[in-house]
């Protein structure tokens, strides 16, 4: 499980959610309805949450902590997620790649 936040996505989150330079958190989770490249019937949800608990995956970028809690790890298991910015839709876009099994 790995997460990458692009520069463009980071700037969108900071601007759109008026995040401070330090101390903010964005939590990602799986939600019912929608579709991703690797999930049918589920999509990615996100919310501002500055107090992470029991994180399964996290990355800090530009002073913001982006993370997934243990309870939501099932959605991201064996996946690498890149969070990028879709300029046409003016929103984040999520790209998933399955992790390769090591032999």
């Amino acid at each position: 499980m790995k997460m990458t936040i692009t520069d463009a996505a980071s700037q969108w989150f900071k601007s759109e959610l008026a995040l401070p330079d330090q101390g903010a958190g964005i939590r990602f989770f799986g939600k019912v309805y929608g579709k991703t490249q690797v999930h049918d019937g589920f999509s990615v949800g996100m919310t501002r949450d500055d107090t992470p608990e029991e994180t399964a995956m996290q990355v800090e970028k530009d002073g913001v902590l982006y993370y997934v809690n243990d309870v939501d790890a099932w959605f991201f298991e064996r996946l690498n997620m890149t969070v990028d910015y879709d300029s046409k839709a003016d929103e984040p876009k999520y790209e998933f790649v399955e992790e390769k099994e090591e032999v």
Side-chain angles (χ1 to χ4, degrees):
M1 239 180 353
K2 181 180 171 190
M3 179 177 8
T4 303
I5 310 294
T6 67
D7 291 342
S10 173
Q11 291 308 309
W12 182 89
F13 279 106
K14 289 188 76 103
S15 173
E16 190 68 22
L17 301 178
L19 299 178
D21 289 336
Q22 296 291 322
I26 301 293
R27 179 172 54 90
F28 296 104
F29 55 91
K31 66 179 189 172
V32 177
Y33 302 115
K35 185 175 183 175
T36 71
Q37 297 143 307
V38 293
H39 302 98
D40 195 17
F42 293 92
S43 60
V44 178
M46 67 89 179
T47 188
R48 179 166 177 192
D49 186 344
D50 299 343
T51 54
E53 296 179 13
E54 300 178 8
T55 60
M57 173 173 59
Q58 67 181 39
V59 64
E60 186 173 337
K61 182 159 182 85
D62 299 327
V64 178
L65 182 66
Y66 298 89
Y67 66 95
V68 172
N69 281 342
D70 284 346
V71 71
D72 296 307
W74 64 271
F75 187 84
F76 303 92
E77 248 176 9
R78 295 182 302 281
L79 298 171
N80 294 327
M81 177 178 74
T82 299
V83 182
D84 201 357
Y85 171 68
D86 181 339
S87 60
K88 290 181 184 169
D90 190 27
E91 64 185 23
K93 66 179 178 180
Y94 307 95
E95 298 170 357
F96 291 92
V97 175
E98 293 186 37
E99 290 180 338
K100 296 186 187 218
E101 290 187 36
E102 293 184 23
V103 182

